Amino acid sequence: MRYLALLIIFSSIPFWLGWLKKSPRNLEWAALMIGMGPFLVSFIKMDAAVHTYGGWSGHTSGASISLLDALCLALIRVLPSRRGNNILTYCLIGYFIETLIASTQATAYTAALYYSWQILRVLIIMVAVDKLMAYPTAPYKIVEGMAYALMIEVVVVLYQKATGVPRATGTFIHQNLTGYVTHFAILANFAMVMIKPKAKLHMIGVL
């Protein structure tokens, strides 16, 4: 089943490429999906492990890839590079290289590389979002995606509470991660409420 999921994810890249080239409006939908993606990737099984380390109980238990990663790779391929330098991207590239070097000193070398893999996935998403920022509507669509995801999160948490789950995790694997991600999503929506006079969707996201 894992290999089937990997096949679907990797084969989706040509689909995303064709879909993104078909209409500029699809870039807005892509931005919306990027906003929702982090909340839904694991919950609806949109990811699969390229490699796992049996019995490893660390923070990162494998090298995974998701449909969100595939979409971001397609965006990087389709969109032109922006003028100017994104200092955060270069800092993250430096940090990625540093983790690769540090992993050579680890006892569990393969497991240590899983963290580098996670940083690489973050870097892919960061570069894709940076390229999307050349389009004026993209930032708003990303935050809209977060607002929709927050609504889904509320429904899932309430359902878990109603069914007797003592510590509702929502769409994430741990309640601390749920709180961490929703905190920043709420802040982004609150910022939209402050700058847009009629931001009903973002107001619902904040509430």
Side-chain angles (χ1 to χ4, degrees), residues 13-56:
I13 297 177
F15 165 78
W16 290 127
L17 286 170
W19 180 70
L20 290 168
K21 292 177 181 178
K22 188 176 181 180
S23 171
R25 178 148 180 91
N26 289 340
L27 291 175
E28 294 185 358
W29 286 106
L32 192 76
M33 286 186 279
I34 287 176
M36 297 181 68
F39 289 84
L40 302 178
V41 162
S42 297
F43 185 65
I44 58 177
K45 308 301 180 185
M46 294 166 57
D47 60 346
V50 178
H51 188 273
T52 57
Y53 192 60
W56 181 252

Side-chain angles (χ1 to χ4, degrees), residues 121-147:
R121 292 177 67 192
V122 173
L123 182 61
I124 289 170
I125 295 174
M126 181 181 287
V127 172
V129 170
D130 179 57
K131 287 191 170 188
L132 269 175
M133 292 303 103
Y135 298 84
T137 58
Y140 301 101
K141 290 297 179 181
I142 290 175
V143 182
E144 279 184 24
M146 294 180 186

Side-chain angles (χ1 to χ4, degrees), residues 12-152:
S12 73
I13 297 177
F15 165 78
W16 290 127
L17 286 170
W19 180 70
L20 290 168
K21 292 177 181 178
K22 188 176 181 180
S23 171
R25 178 148 180 91
N26 289 340
L27 291 175
E28 294 185 358
W29 286 106
L32 192 76
M33 286 186 279
I34 287 176
M36 297 181 68
F39 289 84
L40 302 178
V41 162
S42 297
F43 185 65
I44 58 177
K45 308 301 180 185
M46 294 166 57
D47 60 346
V50 178
H51 188 273
T52 57
Y53 192 60
W56 181 252
S57 59
H59 173 268
T60 308
S61 58
S64 300
I65 189 169
S66 70
L67 284 174
L68 178 61
D69 301 322
L71 172 60
C72 289
L73 285 171
L75 282 167
I76 292 172
R77 178 67 181 84
V78 169
L79 297 178
S81 298
R82 296 182 68 201
R83 291 183 178 180
N85 296 323
N86 187 339
I87 187 64
L88 290 177
T89 300
Y90 290 116
C91 287
L92 194 59
I93 291 173
Y95 182 60
F96 169 70
I97 295 172
E98 183 182 346
T99 61
L100 289 177
I101 296 172
S103 65
T104 61
Q105 306 300 314
T107 304
Y109 174 71
T110 304
L113 284 176
Y114 293 154
Y115 180 68
S116 300
W117 179 273
Q118 290 289 76
I119 298 299
L120 180 61
R121 292 177 67 192
V122 173
L123 182 61
I124 289 170
I125 295 174
M126 181 181 287
V127 172
V129 170
D130 179 57
K131 287 191 170 188
L132 269 175
M133 292 303 103
Y135 298 84
T137 58
Y140 301 101
K141 290 297 179 181
I142 290 175
V143 182
E144 279 184 24
M146 294 180 186
Y148 287 121
L150 285 170
M151 296 176 200
I152 296 172

